[in-house]
Each structure stands twice: as structure tokens, then as C-alpha cells.
Amino acid sequence: MTTLAGTLTLSDDLTISRMGYGAMQLAGPGVFGPPRDRDEAIAVLREAVDLGVTHIDTSDFYGPAVTNELIREALHPYPEGLHIATKVGARRGNDGSWIHSSDPADLVAQVHENLDHLRLDVLDIVYLRLETLTPNDGFIDKSLAEPFGALAELRSQGLIRHLALSGASEAHLTEAQGIAPVVAIQNFYNIVKRDDDAMVERTARENIAYAAFFPLGGFTPLQSDALNKVAARLGASAQQVALAWLLQRSATTVLIPGTSSRVHLRENVRAAELHLPADALRELDAIAAQ
């Protein structure tokens, strides 16, 4: 079902479905602890692959370790062509708090934990999760040379195939590219939240995947009368229209919507079949200016 969204080739050994799946919601409330329904979580992962998804986004700090262990249980040995992207750069407190952690020694430990919990010898894509103020407040202007350099060294050792950045400014991307190739950026972006337009355009020019996180608004679901009206006219859900808009936003935009429900998974994946006509795009493009 993902064929209409197509695939994106980022290197000779990395082609991913543009419609991916984000595993964050498989963990418990607050992305902490075990899932509410373990059997359903396993079923969601297996059905995502059955539907043609070849790009799964995860991290060992989801849970922590919960989503990676679920992925391993559901999908190992992994099907040929399936690519798992993970993130390092954070830890979880005993209370579920998110703790920035980009010390090079700890990044090495985090990479090995991801390898162990996913039962892999090499990680396809590793994002360095950068410290940000909040998704809404923007980026911290701080050099990433030391932490990204540590990951580049692991890449040279063969433990990582490709490197990526999460929560990154254009200056961060430029600095990282001076150290090692960057295949993907993962930033907060959706039909309402457009602050990262320049990065979307740049990644398209440079054939870098742009994975929009919170494509449906995240913990604050998207609310827009214009979105609802377009969806009603097209006979689709507002969520499907928002995802389809992202797919048509640029040729290198990839989606990683998350869900812990097979019903919602199928609805999300069907967005790959939805083509937005020019008049709908004009209405949707105007939402951010409202």
C-alpha cells in the first residue's frame, strides 16, 4: 500500500519507503514503561512490514529499551530491505524525565545498547538527538563536533552505516557535513508548524531525507477548520490529508507517524494513496498564515 508514496534512495545501500512507521507510541504512557497491550504492539509492527513499510524509526530511550525489544521480538530476523533508524543523545530518569546525554563515551554506550536490544551487528541509521529548547522554541546554537565526531568514529569502525541529526538547525547540518555524510534530518514540522521550511527545501536540494516528527501534531493534535473542510471534500480523514500534504511538500520528505493500533496504522498508511489536487494544496498551504 505504500507504493504510491514511493521510495527514497539515499545511498547505494539505503532505499526506504517514504511512508514509514514511528515506534515511539508502542511504549507506555509518556513513552515510559511497557505497552498497554503487548500483543497489539507486536501485531502493529508486523502489519506495518506487511503493508510495505521499510523504514522504522525508534530509539533505546523509548521505554527505555521497550520499543527496541518489541521490534526485535516482532521482526527478528529482520526482512531483507527493512531499515531501522534509531536515535542517541538522551537518557531517561527513573521518573520518566528526558535527560540530554551527548558525552562521547555515553554515546558509544548508547549505540551498543541499541545494537544489543535490536540484536544487530550494525545500525542502519543513527540520529544524533541534539539538545533543543523545546520543539516550539527552536535550536540551541552549540557545536556538535564532539558528539557527532564520536558517532563518525563508530561509523568508521563499521558499527553504524549512516548518520543523521534530530533537532538540528541548518548551521548544525553544515557543521556535521564537514565531519561525515548526513542522510537524514528529523525535526518538528507539520501542516501547521512550518518554521523549518528552509530546512525542508535544503534537504530536498541535497537529497537528504526529511523526517517530520509530530506530523499530526504530537501531544497536541492538529486543529484546523481548513484541514477538516479539505478532508471532507476528498472523503478522507484530516489526519490522512495532513500526512499526504507532507508527502507532497518535497520529494525527500518521509513520514514516521506512530500508533499503537492496527486500525490507525492502516489509516495512516492509506494516506500514501491520497493525491491532493492543486486547489486543496492552496487551501492547506495557507493554514500556517492563519
Side-chain angles (χ1 to χ4, degrees):
M1 294 178 67
T2 62
T3 52
L4 290 183
T7 59
L8 177 61
T9 296
L10 299 168
S11 71
D12 291 343
D13 63 345
L14 184 61
T15 296
I16 59 175
S17 58
R18 293 186 64 209
M19 175 61 76
Y21 171 73
M24 184 176 74
Q25 291 188 31
L26 295 183
V31 200
F32 195 68
R36 294 184 178 91
D37 186 337
R38 187 177 186 87
D39 290 341
E40 180 68 5
I42 295 293
V44 165
L45 286 162
R46 290 175 176 165
E47 183 151 341
V49 173
D50 288 343
L51 290 172
V53 168
T54 65
H55 170 209
I56 293 178
D57 182 84
T58 185
S59 176
D60 216 51
F61 51 71
Y62 295 163
V66 169
T67 62
N68 280 353
E69 291 178 348
L70 288 168
I71 290 168
R72 182 187 69 203
E73 180 179 344
L75 301 174
H76 192 277
Y78 300 111
E80 184 177 358
L82 177 65
H83 297 287
I84 299 174
T86 191
K87 288 174 288 297
V88 296
R91 293 284 188 182
R92 304 299 295 279
N94 292 333
D95 60 352
S97 58
W98 299 79
I99 303 167
H100 178 70
S101 181
S102 61
D103 177 78
D106 193 45
L107 291 177
V108 172
Q110 291 175 52
V111 165
H112 282 280
E113 288 162 9
N114 277 276
L115 287 166
D116 181 50
H117 293 142
L118 289 166
R119 198 177 297 168
L120 287 168
D121 296 323
V122 56
L123 297 170
D124 274 339
I125 305 171
V126 174
Y127 285 90
L128 174 61
R129 180 182 185 268
L130 298 174
E131 186 177 13
T132 56
L133 299 172
T134 70
N136 286 309
D137 291 335
F139 309 106
I140 292 177
D141 185 18
K142 182 179 178 181
S143 173
L144 51 66
E146 188 175 34
F148 194 75
L151 296 182
E153 175 59 27
L154 294 178
R155 176 176 174 267
S156 70
Q157 294 172 15
L159 295 178
I160 300 171
R161 289 195 178 95
H162 302 283
L163 297 176
L165 298 172
S166 178
S169 67
E170 286 198 77
H172 288 138
L173 174 56
T174 299
E175 183 182 15
Q177 288 173 318
I179 300 169
V182 176
V183 300
I185 295 290
Q186 188 174 132
N187 283 356
F188 184 23
Y189 188 78
N190 57 47
I191 198 168
V192 172
K193 176 70 174 177
R194 310 272 188 87
D195 294 353
D196 219 31
D197 273 335
M199 181 70 92
V200 173
E201 299 290 346
R202 176 174 172 179
T203 51
R205 291 193 303 270
E206 298 182 18
N207 195 46
I208 295 170
Y210 186 95
F213 73 73
F214 290 167
L216 298 175
F219 302 112
T220 306
L222 297 176
Q223 301 291 328
S224 166
D225 289 340
L227 177 60
N228 292 333
K229 289 176 182 177
V230 169
R233 195 164 74 240
L234 297 178
S237 70
Q239 291 80 6
Q240 287 172 327
V241 171
L243 292 174
W245 180 86
L246 282 166
L247 286 172
Q248 290 182 227
R249 175 63 181 83
S250 85
T252 64
T253 302
V254 298
L255 302 186
I256 48 171
T259 179
S260 58
S261 158
R262 281 174 286 178
V263 172
H264 292 153
L265 171 70
R266 294 167 197 146
E267 181 180 358
N268 289 341
V269 170
R270 281 196 296 271
E273 304 175 324
L274 183 62
H275 178 74
L276 302 177
D279 61 334
L281 284 174
R282 283 193 295 272
E283 294 173 59
L284 296 172
D285 287 343
I287 289 175
Q290 295 174 359

